[in-house]
Structures are given as C-alpha cells and as structure tokens.
Amino acid sequence: MENFEAWNPVHLHFGRGVTSKLPDILPQIGRKALLLIGKGSVKQNGIYNIVAGAINASGIEMIEFEGIKPNPLLSDVRKAVALGIARKVDMVIGLGGGSVIDSAKAIAVSIPGHLDPWDIFKRVVKPERALPVVSVLTLAATGTEMNQFSVIQNEETLEKIGFGHPLMYPVHSFLDPSFTITVNRDYTVYGITDLIAHSLESYFGEGEADLSDRFVFSIVAEAMEFAPHLLADLASYELRARMMWAATTALNGLTGYGRRRGDWTVHALGHSISMLFDTPHGATLSIVYPAWLKYLSSHIPNRISKLGTALFNDGSVDGTIEKITGFFQSIGSPVTLAEAGIIGNDRQKLLEHWVRVQAQGNIYRLGSVDYNFLLTHM
Amino acid sequence: MENFEAWNPVHLHFGRGVTSKLPDILPQIGRKALLLIGKGSVKQNGIYNIVAGAINASGIEMIEFEGIKPNPLLSDVRKAVALGIARKVDMVIGLGGGSVIDSAKAIAVSIPGHLDPWDIFKRVVKPERALPVVSVLTLAATGTEMNQFSVIQNEETLEKIGFGHPLMYPVHSFLDPSFTITVNRDYTVYGITDLIAHSLESYFGEGEADLSDRFVFSIVAEAMEFAPHLLADLASYELRARMMWAATTALNGLTGYGRRRGDWTVHALGHSISMLFDTPHGATLSIVYPAWLKYLSSHIPNRISKLGTALFNDGSVDGTIEKITGFFQSIGSPVTLAEAGIIGNDRQKLLEHWVRVQAQGNIYRLGSVDYNFLLTHM
C-alpha cells in the first residue's frame, strides 16, 4: 500500500424527500445563490418546482442560469461566472446531472478571484478561494456529487479536460433517487457504464491496494447484478437508489486509497469521441473499454485475471474481457465506434484528435499507447 | 435502502512517516495541546520520541497525561479534563490505541463547557462545543480514529457505555502502520476480532443495504485472508497496513449507509465481560459472537446464509457459524468463557450484570434476548 490521505468533507443527504432539508441548510451557507440547471428537463418533470420551492422557502435569493449542456461547454461556464459576479452571488447550487454539477464547481472556483475557468483548468492560475457548492443530483453516473473533480470542454480548442481541487468539494449534496426515475433508458445505461468505468479506472491504476480492489469488485458487482433489474423496471425507487449510491461510491475516493494513482486513459480517449461526435460520455466508455482491456492484456494480465475471478469466477484474461464486453452489450451500451455511428473518415479524425489533443494531457500510460491497435479493436 | 446521511470530516493521513506532517498541521489547530498516552509502551518502543519530537517541532506547548488504561476509566478521563481546564489547553492529542483516542474524545468534549464526561455519556447534558482532537494511532482495532464514537467505563457503577457526537470526530488522524509493528500477538489478534465484529454488528442491523453488505464482506474477507499471514510475520509493514486500513473502514460509516441501524448487542454483552473480569475487548467479542450467531440463526437465518455464501461459498447457517467460530479459534482468540478463565460462579455474575446494567441501555434486540441460551453457548 502506498501512503495516502483520506478526506472527503461532503455532507451527503441520501433518500426520498431529502431536499426538504434545503430550507434549514441553505441559510447556514449564504444569502444569494446562483441556481444552475440544464436544458430544462427538470422543469418538465416537476423536480425544478420541488427544489426551487425549497430554495424560496429558505428565504435566500436565487439567480437562475439555464442551459448547461450534457457535455458542458466552457462558454456556458464563462457566462454563468459573469452572471454570478455581476449579481454578487455567495453560493452556487447545481440541480442536474454531472454536467450541471461539474459546471457549478468550475463556476464556484472562478467567481471569487474573477478568474477565467479555463485558466484554472489548464493550471495557468491557482484558485485560492471558491464559493460553496450545493448539489442536487438528478442522474446516477459521474460521482461528482461527492468529489472534488470537474470536467468541461472548450469548444474552441476542442479540448475536454478535468480538474480537481479541494475547494471544489460540494459542501452539501442531496441525492433523492426518486429524482432519477424519469431518466430514460439510454441515459440510465450510460450512467451504469460510467460508474463501472470509474471503478475500473481506479482498479487499473498503479499500486497494490487489496481492500480498495475489493471495494471495486463490490461496486461493479452491485451494478452488474442490478442493472438488468433496473432496466426492466425503470420506475423502481429501490433499484434507482442502489444504482445511485453505487455511482457515488465509485468515485468518492473509496476505490483508490492506497494506490499511487488511477489510470484515466479510457476517460481521456472517450472525451475525444464526445468532443468530436457529441457522443454521450457513458457510451464512449463502453466503446473504449473493451479495446483498452485488450491492450492491457499484454501488459497486466494478472490484474485482469484477478478482476475476472472476483466478478465472474473466471480468471482467464480473454474470458474476463469477453464478459465485461458482453455486459455492456447486454444493457445496450455500444462497444464499437460503428454502433455509435462513427464510421469511415470519422475514425481518422478521432486518431488525429487523440494524437493532437488528448496525448498532451498528463495521463498515465497514454504516451505509450498504440492508437492504431485500439482503433482496430473498437 | 433507508434514507441516510454520509458525512465524515476526519482528515486521515495514512502511511509510513505521516507524523512528520504534525509540525505543519498542529499550528493550524491550536497553541497548547493536552497529549494523552497509555501506560507507557510508546515510551519503550520509541514512538513517543517520534511524536513528541514532531509536536515540539511544531512550536506548540504540550501538557502530558499518562496512564490511560486499555479499558479506559472514567476516573482517568475526569483527571485529564481537570488538567486540561487548569492548563487551558486548546486541543487534545491522543497517542495510542482505541482507549487513548476514545478518552481524548471524551476529554475534548468535556473541557469547553466544564462538563462532567459521565453526564455527557449518560445523556444528562448535551455538549455544544469540543476542543479539536488529533489522533495518532498505534493499534489497528477500534476504528475510533475515523468516527465520532467513544466508549469509557465507570468503575464505580460498573457500566461501560458508548457515546457518539459529531463534535467528537478527530480533525486529523495519523495512521502509520509501522507504529503497530510492536503490538504483540495477542493484541494483534484482538484487533482483528474487533474489526470483524464491527463489520458484523453493522451487517446484522436493520434495513436492507446491499452495497453496504458487500463492503462488509470485503472488509471481513480482507481480515480473514491476511490474518494468518500477519500472525506469521508480525513485523510486516504491508500486512500491518492492510489490517490497519481494514480496521478503519470497518467503523467509519461505510458499512452502515442505507441501514436503519446496526446491532450492537455483541459489543454490549462483551462490555460486561470486560467490566467484570478485565478481559480484553476483542477477546470478549470472539466469545460472544458464536453464541449470538446461534441465537440469530432462528431469527434471521437468511442473513447468516448470505454472509456464509459471500465469505465461504457456503450458504448453510450452521456451516457459516462453524466457519466464523473456527476462524476466531484459528487465530487464537477465545470462543468460550472458560478459555478466558471465566468459570464457576463468574458465569452467574455475568448473567446478573447483563440483566442489571447492560439491558438498561437502549440496545437493539437486547430486551428480547434469552441470556441463559447465550450463556450455555459460550
């Protein structure tokens, strides 16, 4: 085991009706909130009314910014920063999925110093303060509700990158599984893919941490066991709850304690696909992972074998890769570029993007990757 | 899944040499520390010199209180509170095992309001403030380093009870596995028993929380797999590290999220044994658990069966109980009262204590327990 720090200050409220606590909690945090939402689905399904009602009942002032996109854009984040500065907000509330909450973090860390968010994400400036972030989650997927990370994309430079800072932990996160019941089948699937990928990215990192491995197996097994049940019964509160908590634990630190670092290559490669073809994030991960496992099979076969033994009682490398790929297929997540409509010359564009943009990032193992090998396997 | 809150503010530093961070961290917390230690083993094995040296290097003033006993006494806690008040300390550092850190918490929550610790533990007064607690752990066992709980015993009333309050989370905890290498075989065993018991107490609580069940299985399996290796190689840093982290995760909240409550009956019954016969805490748990499982087998056989399937690939209730009992025996932890020297009239004393003292507490299932049944099985 490597030395590590375990510290996660997020105060998380999980369960049915937890946003009814907002009127008690928000006045302890500030007086004027920037409320961030996506493209309006929360206004159609009634969640907005519940949450905005609770915010209003708290007596704090609310400035709204609507329109954060599923792969959140730097331009929207910048607009929201300008609005927050102009209106002198003292907290940011993200109501939505990972893109909204990631944006809320980027905005909150930019406002106090009047910083440009991209300068922060590109490590050009170091933030020293942040407004408190409150998250109200509507999608079980990214884990952003209980971590310090944010991912945004710069549509001018065609970069999608992540940034993490302790100032960016939400102070309170509200997870009501009933808020995820209207998520459609496709996005439910992509959330499951995302949480499994997060667990595996940690598992395939560097450093031996046996108990963290077991926690990975627990989370992945939970998702794989209950995914078919959930997809057969999207309105089940209990199954939504299980998947929501699994997604949070997949990226709140638990799976990584004692490792040197995770291996975020699949996410990096997937970001290129989202960037170029607007493919949903989770779908990019199920496309890249099988190819990545084939690549890893010649480098760290023992790790794949340990995973297969734990998940499938099958220690063979090929069998493990087949079963993981088969799981993604069984829930309807694409495992090839063609299934996502990425064909012909698109593949060449993707290769160029990988080489030109994502390989610039400081991502583990990425320097040595044979991109052509990967492309032929996806 | 039940509604729950997940919040654990402890900043935990794990690994070799982590106490070298003390000089940076302590001045952020206060100016004058009460340093609490046990009966002096840290002075013999050199750990005291390392930690006291780091405290002195931090420039803060240090008032020392030595002599906390393994089952910590209220009288010692009261003396330390008086010392802390007299010397106007502004933080409490616990250097030792669970008893020292539990005492540090009880002291820290008593000093600001000049409260009597027993009034707090008996819920007669509610604490409103606490001094910050810093823990430096020397024993992998109780999990107190990352939770809000404390257990002390009142030698006048013969009560040993626990109390928890959010004010009592340590602000920083330092876990250097090399500090546990001088722990002798017996106390290493009792620590393993304790962490397994904590995991099971959570598992046998009320409410269905499947992922938390999986985390329980992970922690117990980790302990069971590596215990024999550790006992064969007590000086192994890596094995000490694995057991130390397992012990922390067994009682830092992780195993309980989504349950209504844990079942702390085995701890309550074990406390009577410690109280009356000064038996080490971990040893009392391996004595009580097999009997308790036999009692549970007629009430919740499915839970025992699920546990056995996960741990031993054996879903039979009797087989599971046998294997858990066999594990405790295999590491040399007593599984009967007689093995701990509790014989003859002692058993009657124990029965009377259970009825008179521990059943007064508000402990799940305790009201309906057939004490004679339990006694005949231990």
Side-chain angles (χ1 to χ4, degrees), chain A residues 150-170:
Chain A
S150 169
V151 178
I152 58 177
Q153 66 180 43
N154 182 333
E155 61 271 46
E156 292 169 18
T157 63
L158 288 184
E159 289 168 282
K160 181 171 181 176
I161 59 176
F163 177 73
H165 194 289
L167 289 167
M168 284 158 58
Y169 281 108

mmCIF file with all atom_site columns, all heavy atoms in Angstrom, chain A residues 150-170:
data_model
loop_
_atom_site.group_PDB
_atom_site.id
_atom_site.type_symbol
_atom_site.label_atom_id
_atom_site.label_alt_id
_atom_site.label_comp_id
_atom_site.label_asym_id
_atom_site.label_entity_id
_atom_site.label_seq_id
_atom_site.pdbx_PDB_ins_code
_atom_site.Cartn_x
_atom_site.Cartn_y
_atom_site.Cartn_z
_atom_site.occupancy
_atom_site.B_iso_or_equiv
_atom_site.pdbx_formal_charge
_atom_site.auth_seq_id
_atom_site.auth_comp_id
_atom_site.auth_asym_id
_atom_site.auth_atom_id
_atom_site.pdbx_PDB_model_num
ATOM 1   N N   . SER A 1 150 ? -14.065 18.098 -11.730 1.00 0.00 ? 150 SER A N   1
ATOM 2   C CA  . SER A 1 150 ? -14.956 18.699 -12.713 1.00 0.00 ? 150 SER A CA  1
ATOM 3   C C   . SER A 1 150 ? -14.341 18.491 -14.091 1.00 0.00 ? 150 SER A C   1
ATOM 4   O O   . SER A 1 150 ? -13.122 18.515 -14.236 1.00 0.00 ? 150 SER A O   1
ATOM 5   C CB  . SER A 1 150 ? -15.103 20.205 -12.420 1.00 0.00 ? 150 SER A CB  1
ATOM 6   O OG  . SER A 1 150 ? -15.747 20.879 -13.480 1.00 0.00 ? 150 SER A OG  1
ATOM 7   N N   . VAL A 1 151 ? -15.182 18.261 -15.070 1.00 0.00 ? 151 VAL A N   1
ATOM 8   C CA  . VAL A 1 151 ? -14.716 18.113 -16.455 1.00 0.00 ? 151 VAL A CA  1
ATOM 9   C C   . VAL A 1 151 ? -15.526 19.076 -17.317 1.00 0.00 ? 151 VAL A C   1
ATOM 10  O O   . VAL A 1 151 ? -16.754 19.073 -17.265 1.00 0.00 ? 151 VAL A O   1
ATOM 11  C CB  . VAL A 1 151 ? -14.933 16.672 -16.975 1.00 0.00 ? 151 VAL A CB  1
ATOM 12  C CG1 . VAL A 1 151 ? -14.494 16.558 -18.432 1.00 0.00 ? 151 VAL A CG1 1
ATOM 13  C CG2 . VAL A 1 151 ? -14.175 15.658 -16.130 1.00 0.00 ? 151 VAL A CG2 1
ATOM 14  N N   . ILE A 1 152 ? -14.852 19.911 -18.093 1.00 0.00 ? 152 ILE A N   1
ATOM 15  C CA  . ILE A 1 152 ? -15.582 20.762 -19.043 1.00 0.00 ? 152 ILE A CA  1
ATOM 16  C C   . ILE A 1 152 ? -14.866 20.732 -20.396 1.00 0.00 ? 152 ILE A C   1
ATOM 17  O O   . ILE A 1 152 ? -13.707 20.309 -20.477 1.00 0.00 ? 152 ILE A O   1
ATOM 18  C CB  . ILE A 1 152 ? -15.755 22.226 -18.561 1.00 0.00 ? 152 ILE A CB  1
ATOM 19  C CG1 . ILE A 1 152 ? -14.418 22.896 -18.289 1.00 0.00 ? 152 ILE A CG1 1
ATOM 20  C CG2 . ILE A 1 152 ? -16.648 22.294 -17.321 1.00 0.00 ? 152 ILE A CG2 1
ATOM 21  C CD1 . ILE A 1 152 ? -14.554 24.369 -17.893 1.00 0.00 ? 152 ILE A CD1 1
ATOM 22  N N   . GLN A 1 153 ? -15.586 21.142 -21.407 1.00 0.00 ? 153 GLN A N   1
ATOM 23  C CA  . GLN A 1 153 ? -14.943 21.128 -22.725 1.00 0.00 ? 153 GLN A CA  1
ATOM 24  C C   . GLN A 1 153 ? -14.900 22.519 -23.332 1.00 0.00 ? 153 GLN A C   1
ATOM 25  O O   . GLN A 1 153 ? -15.817 23.317 -23.192 1.00 0.00 ? 153 GLN A O   1
ATOM 26  C CB  . GLN A 1 153 ? -15.605 20.116 -23.659 1.00 0.00 ? 153 GLN A CB  1
ATOM 27  C CG  . GLN A 1 153 ? -17.023 20.407 -24.061 1.00 0.00 ? 153 GLN A CG  1
ATOM 28  C CD  . GLN A 1 153 ? -17.544 19.303 -24.988 1.00 0.00 ? 153 GLN A CD  1
ATOM 29  O OE1 . GLN A 1 153 ? -17.327 18.113 -24.764 1.00 0.00 ? 153 GLN A OE1 1
ATOM 30  N NE2 . GLN A 1 153 ? -18.228 19.688 -26.051 1.00 0.00 ? 153 GLN A NE2 1
ATOM 31  N N   . ASN A 1 154 ? -13.780 22.762 -23.977 1.00 0.00 ? 154 ASN A N   1
ATOM 32  C CA  . ASN A 1 154 ? -13.535 24.040 -24.644 1.00 0.00 ? 154 ASN A CA  1
ATOM 33  C C   . ASN A 1 154 ? -13.848 23.841 -26.115 1.00 0.00 ? 154 ASN A C   1
ATOM 34  O O   . ASN A 1 154 ? -13.105 23.172 -26.842 1.00 0.00 ? 154 ASN A O   1
ATOM 35  C CB  . ASN A 1 154 ? -12.060 24.421 -24.441 1.00 0.00 ? 154 ASN A CB  1
ATOM 36  C CG  . ASN A 1 154 ? -11.710 25.755 -25.056 1.00 0.00 ? 154 ASN A CG  1
ATOM 37  O OD1 . ASN A 1 154 ? -12.344 26.180 -26.028 1.00 0.00 ? 154 ASN A OD1 1
ATOM 38  N ND2 . ASN A 1 154 ? -10.713 26.406 -24.503 1.00 0.00 ? 154 ASN A ND2 1
ATOM 39  N N   . GLU A 1 155 ? -14.950 24.401 -26.553 1.00 0.00 ? 155 GLU A N   1
ATOM 40  C CA  . GLU A 1 155 ? -15.384 24.143 -27.927 1.00 0.00 ? 155 GLU A CA  1
ATOM 41  C C   . GLU A 1 155 ? -14.526 24.870 -28.949 1.00 0.00 ? 155 GLU A C   1
ATOM 42  O O   . GLU A 1 155 ? -14.583 24.556 -30.135 1.00 0.00 ? 155 GLU A O   1
ATOM 43  C CB  . GLU A 1 155 ? -16.869 24.472 -28.099 1.00 0.00 ? 155 GLU A CB  1
ATOM 44  C CG  . GLU A 1 155 ? -17.251 25.925 -27.841 1.00 0.00 ? 155 GLU A CG  1
ATOM 45  C CD  . GLU A 1 155 ? -17.598 26.211 -26.380 1.00 0.00 ? 155 GLU A CD  1
ATOM 46  O OE1 . GLU A 1 155 ? -16.840 25.771 -25.480 1.00 0.00 ? 155 GLU A OE1 1
ATOM 47  O OE2 . GLU A 1 155 ? -18.609 26.893 -26.138 1.00 0.00 ? 155 GLU A OE2 1
ATOM 48  N N   . GLU A 1 156 ? -13.704 25.826 -28.524 1.00 0.00 ? 156 GLU A N   1
ATOM 49  C CA  . GLU A 1 156 ? -12.803 26.491 -29.472 1.00 0.00 ? 156 GLU A CA  1
ATOM 50  C C   . GLU A 1 156 ? -11.564 25.645 -29.739 1.00 0.00 ? 156 GLU A C   1
ATOM 51  O O   . GLU A 1 156 ? -11.157 25.451 -30.879 1.00 0.00 ? 156 GLU A O   1
ATOM 52  C CB  . GLU A 1 156 ? -12.373 27.857 -28.926 1.00 0.00 ? 156 GLU A CB  1
ATOM 53  C CG  . GLU A 1 156 ? -13.520 28.860 -28.878 1.00 0.00 ? 156 GLU A CG  1
ATOM 54  C CD  . GLU A 1 156 ? -13.146 30.111 -28.087 1.00 0.00 ? 156 GLU A CD  1
ATOM 55  O OE1 . GLU A 1 156 ? -11.927 30.349 -27.872 1.00 0.00 ? 156 GLU A OE1 1
ATOM 56  O OE2 . GLU A 1 156 ? -14.064 30.829 -27.673 1.00 0.00 ? 156 GLU A OE2 1
ATOM 57  N N   . THR A 1 157 ? -10.955 25.116 -28.684 1.00 0.00 ? 157 THR A N   1
ATOM 58  C CA  . THR A 1 157 ? -9.722  24.348 -28.866 1.00 0.00 ? 157 THR A CA  1
ATOM 59  C C   . THR A 1 157 ? -10.000 22.860 -29.033 1.00 0.00 ? 157 THR A C   1
ATOM 60  O O   . THR A 1 157 ? -9.075  22.078 -29.232 1.00 0.00 ? 157 THR A O   1
ATOM 61  C CB  . THR A 1 157 ? -8.795  24.527 -27.654 1.00 0.00 ? 157 THR A CB  1
ATOM 62  O OG1 . THR A 1 157 ? -9.451  23.992 -26.501 1.00 0.00 ? 157 THR A OG1 1
ATOM 63  C CG2 . THR A 1 157 ? -8.481  26.000 -27.409 1.00 0.00 ? 157 THR A CG2 1
ATOM 64  N N   . LEU A 1 158 ? -11.273 22.457 -28.918 1.00 0.00 ? 158 LEU A N   1
ATOM 65  C CA  . LEU A 1 158 ? -11.652 21.038 -28.971 1.00 0.00 ? 158 LEU A CA  1
ATOM 66  C C   . LEU A 1 158 ? -10.934 20.208 -27.902 1.00 0.00 ? 158 LEU A C   1
ATOM 67  O O   . LEU A 1 158 ? -10.482 19.096 -28.156 1.00 0.00 ? 158 LEU A O   1
ATOM 68  C CB  . LEU A 1 158 ? -11.392 20.452 -30.359 1.00 0.00 ? 158 LEU A CB  1
ATOM 69  C CG  . LEU A 1 158 ? -12.338 20.904 -31.479 1.00 0.00 ? 158 LEU A CG  1
ATOM 70  C CD1 . LEU A 1 158 ? -12.019 20.153 -32.773 1.00 0.00 ? 158 LEU A CD1 1
ATOM 71  C CD2 . LEU A 1 158 ? -13.806 20.688 -31.108 1.00 0.00 ? 158 LEU A CD2 1
ATOM 72  N N   . GLU A 1 159 ? -10.846 20.772 -26.692 1.00 0.00 ? 159 GLU A N   1
ATOM 73  C CA  . GLU A 1 159 ? -10.276 20.022 -25.567 1.00 0.00 ? 159 GLU A CA  1
ATOM 74  C C   . GLU A 1 159 ? -11.362 19.759 -24.536 1.00 0.00 ? 159 GLU A C   1
ATOM 75  O O   . GLU A 1 159 ? -12.173 20.631 -24.246 1.00 0.00 ? 159 GLU A O   1
ATOM 76  C CB  . GLU A 1 159 ? -9.166  20.821 -24.882 1.00 0.00 ? 159 GLU A CB  1
ATOM 77  C CG  . GLU A 1 159 ? -7.884  20.960 -25.681 1.00 0.00 ? 159 GLU A CG  1
ATOM 78  C CD  . GLU A 1 159 ? -6.965  22.000 -25.049 1.00 0.00 ? 159 GLU A CD  1
ATOM 79  O OE1 . GLU A 1 159 ? -7.221  23.205 -25.240 1.00 0.00 ? 159 GLU A OE1 1
ATOM 80  O OE2 . GLU A 1 159 ? -6.016  21.593 -24.364 1.00 0.00 ? 159 GLU A OE2 1
ATOM 81  N N   . LYS A 1 160 ? -11.359 18.574 -23.980 1.00 0.00 ? 160 LYS A N   1
ATOM 82  C CA  . LYS A 1 160 ? -12.244 18.250 -22.857 1.00 0.00 ? 160 LYS A CA  1
ATOM 83  C C   . LYS A 1 160 ? -11.346 17.744 -21.743 1.00 0.00 ? 160 LYS A C   1
ATOM 84  O O   . LYS A 1 160 ? -10.753 16.674 -21.866 1.00 0.00 ? 160 LYS A O   1
ATOM 85  C CB  . LYS A 1 160 ? -13.256 17.178 -23.273 1.00 0.00 ? 160 LYS A CB  1
ATOM 86  C CG  . LYS A 1 160 ? -14.242 16.808 -22.157 1.00 0.00 ? 160 LYS A CG  1
ATOM 87  C CD  . LYS A 1 160 ? -15.373 15.900 -22.654 1.00 0.00 ? 160 LYS A CD  1
ATOM 88  C CE  . LYS A 1 160 ? -16.324 15.599 -21.492 1.00 0.00 ? 160 LYS A CE  1
ATOM 89  N NZ  . LYS A 1 160 ? -17.496 14.806 -21.876 1.00 0.00 ? 160 LYS A NZ  1
ATOM 90  N N   . ILE A 1 161 ? -11.226 18.522 -20.675 1.00 0.00 ? 161 ILE A N   1
ATOM 91  C CA  . ILE A 1 161 ? -10.280 18.117 -19.641 1.00 0.00 ? 161 ILE A CA  1
ATOM 92  C C   . ILE A 1 161 ? -10.878 18.252 -18.245 1.00 0.00 ? 161 ILE A C   1
ATOM 93  O O   . ILE A 1 161 ? -11.848 18.965 -18.022 1.00 0.00 ? 161 ILE A O   1
ATOM 94  C CB  . ILE A 1 161 ? -8.945  18.914 -19.717 1.00 0.00 ? 161 ILE A CB  1
ATOM 95  C CG1 . ILE A 1 161 ? -9.184  20.408 -19.565 1.00 0.00 ? 161 ILE A CG1 1
ATOM 96  C CG2 . ILE A 1 161 ? -8.202  18.598 -20.984 1.00 0.00 ? 161 ILE A CG2 1
ATOM 97  C CD1 . ILE A 1 161 ? -7.889  21.211 -19.524 1.00 0.00 ? 161 ILE A CD1 1
ATOM 98  N N   . GLY A 1 162 ? -10.255 17.529 -17.335 1.00 0.00 ? 162 GLY A N   1
ATOM 99  C CA  . GLY A 1 162 ? -10.709 17.520 -15.954 1.00 0.00 ? 162 GLY A CA  1
ATOM 100 C C   . GLY A 1 162 ? -9.779  18.304 -15.057 1.00 0.00 ? 162 GLY A C   1
ATOM 101 O O   . GLY A 1 162 ? -8.598  18.509 -15.366 1.00 0.00 ? 162 GLY A O   1
ATOM 102 N N   . PHE A 1 163 ? -10.337 18.757 -13.956 1.00 0.00 ? 163 PHE A N   1
ATOM 103 C CA  . PHE A 1 163 ? -9.558  19.485 -12.959 1.00 0.00 ? 163 PHE A CA  1
ATOM 104 C C   . PHE A 1 163 ? -10.145 19.170 -11.593 1.00 0.00 ? 163 PHE A C   1
ATOM 105 O O   . PHE A 1 163 ? -11.362 19.034 -11.447 1.00 0.00 ? 163 PHE A O   1
ATOM 106 C CB  . PHE A 1 163 ? -9.621  20.996 -13.236 1.00 0.00 ? 163 PHE A CB  1
ATOM 107 C CG  . PHE A 1 163 ? -8.900  21.829 -12.206 1.00 0.00 ? 163 PHE A CG  1
ATOM 108 C CD1 . PHE A 1 163 ? -7.511  21.864 -12.166 1.00 0.00 ? 163 PHE A CD1 1
ATOM 109 C CD2 . PHE A 1 163 ? -9.613  22.561 -11.257 1.00 0.00 ? 163 PHE A CD2 1
ATOM 110 C CE1 . PHE A 1 163 ? -6.847  22.616 -11.205 1.00 0.00 ? 163 PHE A CE1 1
ATOM 111 C CE2 . PHE A 1 163 ? -8.951  23.321 -10.298 1.00 0.00 ? 163 PHE A CE2 1
ATOM 112 C CZ  . PHE A 1 163 ? -7.563  23.345 -10.274 1.00 0.00 ? 163 PHE A CZ  1
ATOM 113 N N   . GLY A 1 164 ? -9.285  19.034 -10.618 1.00 0.00 ? 164 GLY A N   1
ATOM 114 C CA  . GLY A 1 164 ? -9.764  18.776 -9.265  1.00 0.00 ? 164 GLY A CA  1
ATOM 115 C C   . GLY A 1 164 ? -9.064  19.666 -8.269  1.00 0.00 ? 164 GLY A C   1
ATOM 116 O O   . GLY A 1 164 ? -7.876  19.988 -8.430  1.00 0.00 ? 164 GLY A O   1
ATOM 117 N N   . HIS A 1 165 ? -9.807  20.100 -7.253  1.00 0.00 ? 165 HIS A N   1
ATOM 118 C CA  . HIS A 1 165 ? -9.228  20.944 -6.213  1.00 0.00 ? 165 HIS A CA  1
ATOM 119 C C   . HIS A 1 165 ? -10.072 20.774 -4.946  1.00 0.00 ? 165 HIS A C   1
ATOM 120 O O   . HIS A 1 165 ? -11.300 20.730 -5.034  1.00 0.00 ? 165 HIS A O   1
ATOM 121 C CB  . HIS A 1 165 ? -9.229  22.408 -6.652  1.00 0.00 ? 165 HIS A CB  1
ATOM 122 C CG  . HIS A 1 165 ? -8.359  23.283 -5.811  1.00 0.00 ? 165 HIS A CG  1
ATOM 123 N ND1 . HIS A 1 165 ? -8.679  23.621 -4.510  1.00 0.00 ? 165 HIS A ND1 1
ATOM 124 C CD2 . HIS A 1 165 ? -7.152  23.859 -6.066  1.00 0.00 ? 165 HIS A CD2 1
ATOM 125 C CE1 . HIS A 1 165 ? -7.715  24.380 -4.012  1.00 0.00 ? 165 HIS A CE1 1
ATOM 126 N NE2 . HIS A 1 165 ? -6.777  24.540 -4.933  1.00 0.00 ? 165 HIS A NE2 1
ATOM 127 N N   . PRO A 1 166 ? -9.417  20.697 -3.770  1.00 0.00 ? 166 PRO A N   1
ATOM 128 C CA  . PRO A 1 166 ? -10.199 20.525 -2.538  1.00 0.00 ? 166 PRO A CA  1
ATOM 129 C C   . PRO A 1 166 ? -11.257 21.607 -2.329  1.00 0.00 ? 166 PRO A C   1
ATOM 130 O O   . PRO A 1 166 ? -12.262 21.355 -1.659  1.00 0.00 ? 166 PRO A O   1
ATOM 131 C CB  . PRO A 1 166 ? -9.125  20.585 -1.440  1.00 0.00 ? 166 PRO A CB  1
ATOM 132 C CG  . PRO A 1 166 ? -7.864  20.173 -2.110  1.00 0.00 ? 166 PRO A CG  1
ATOM 133 C CD  . PRO A 1 166 ? -7.977  20.639 -3.539  1.00 0.00 ? 166 PRO A CD  1
ATOM 134 N N   . LEU A 1 167 ? -11.041 22.801 -2.898  1.00 0.00 ? 167 LEU A N   1
ATOM 135 C CA  . LEU A 1 167 ? -12.048 23.858 -2.766  1.00 0.00 ? 167 LEU A CA  1
ATOM 136 C C   . LEU A 1 167 ? -13.345 23.496 -3.489  1.00 0.00 ? 167 LEU A C   1
ATOM 137 O O   . LEU A 1 167 ? -14.373 24.132 -3.286  1.00 0.00 ? 167 LEU A O   1
ATOM 138 C CB  . LEU A 1 167 ? -11.520 25.174 -3.366  1.00 0.00 ? 167 LEU A CB  1
ATOM 139 C CG  . LEU A 1 167 ? -10.412 25.891 -2.594  1.00 0.00 ? 167 LEU A CG  1
ATOM 140 C CD1 . LEU A 1 167 ? -9.798  26.983 -3.459  1.00 0.00 ? 167 LEU A CD1 1
ATOM 141 C CD2 . LEU A 1 167 ? -10.966 26.482 -1.300  1.00 0.00 ? 167 LEU A CD2 1
ATOM 142 N N   . MET A 1 168 ? -13.292 22.501 -4.352  1.00 0.00 ? 168 MET A N   1
ATOM 143 C CA  . MET A 1 168 ? -14.436 22.200 -5.218  1.00 0.00 ? 168 MET A CA  1
ATOM 144 C C   . MET A 1 168 ? -15.337 21.071 -4.710  1.00 0.00 ? 168 MET A C   1
ATOM 145 O O   . MET A 1 168 ? -16.293 20.693 -5.395  1.00 0.00 ? 168 MET A O   1
ATOM 146 C CB  . MET A 1 168 ? -13.933 21.905 -6.632  1.00 0.00 ? 168 MET A CB  1
ATOM 147 C CG  . MET A 1 168 ? -13.520 23.183 -7.381  1.00 0.00 ? 168 MET A CG  1
ATOM 148 S SD  . MET A 1 168 ? -12.356 22.887 -8.755  1.00 0.00 ? 168 MET A SD  1
ATOM 149 C CE  . MET A 1 168 ? -13.274 21.747 -9.776  1.00 0.00 ? 168 MET A CE  1
ATOM 150 N N   . TYR A 1 169 ? -15.033 20.529 -3.536  1.00 0.00 ? 169 TYR A N   1
ATOM 151 C CA  . TYR A 1 169 ? -15.995 19.582 -2.951  1.00 0.00 ? 169 TYR A CA  1
ATOM 152 C C   . TYR A 1 169 ? -17.309 20.315 -2.685  1.00 0.00 ? 169 TYR A C   1
ATOM 153 O O   . TYR A 1 169 ? -17.292 21.396 -2.074  1.00 0.00 ? 169 TYR A O   1
ATOM 154 C CB  . TYR A 1 169 ? -15.487 19.063 -1.606  1.00 0.00 ? 169 TYR A CB  1
ATOM 155 C CG  . TYR A 1 169 ? -14.448 17.990 -1.659  1.00 0.00 ? 169 TYR A CG  1
ATOM 156 C CD1 . TYR A 1 169 ? -13.128 18.259 -1.322  1.00 0.00 ? 169 TYR A CD1 1
ATOM 157 C CD2 . TYR A 1 169 ? -14.787 16.678 -1.992  1.00 0.00 ? 169 TYR A CD2 1
ATOM 158 C CE1 . TYR A 1 169 ? -12.162 17.261 -1.332  1.00 0.00 ? 169 TYR A CE1 1
ATOM 159 C CE2 . TYR A 1 169 ? -13.826 15.676 -2.007  1.00 0.00 ? 169 TYR A CE2 1
ATOM 160 C CZ  . TYR A 1 169 ? -12.517 15.970 -1.676  1.00 0.00 ? 169 TYR A CZ  1
ATOM 161 O OH  . TYR A 1 169 ? -11.568 14.986 -1.680  1.00 0.00 ? 169 TYR A OH  1
ATOM 162 N N   . PRO A 1 170 ? -18.446 19.755 -3.084  1.00 0.00 ? 170 PRO A N   1
ATOM 163 C CA  . PRO A 1 170 ? -19.706 20.346 -2.635  1.00 0.00 ? 170 PRO A CA  1
ATOM 164 C C   . PRO A 1 170 ? -19.748 20.349 -1.099  1.00 0.00 ? 170 PRO A C   1
ATOM 165 O O   . PRO A 1 170 ? -19.225 19.429 -0.460  1.00 0.00 ? 170 PRO A O   1
ATOM 166 C CB  . PRO A 1 170 ? -20.774 19.395 -3.192  1.00 0.00 ? 170 PRO A CB  1
ATOM 167 C CG  . PRO A 1 170 ? -20.120 18.719 -4.352  1.00 0.00 ? 170 PRO A CG  1
ATOM 168 C CD  . PRO A 1 170 ? -18.667 18.594 -3.969  1.00 0.00 ? 170 PRO A CD  1
#
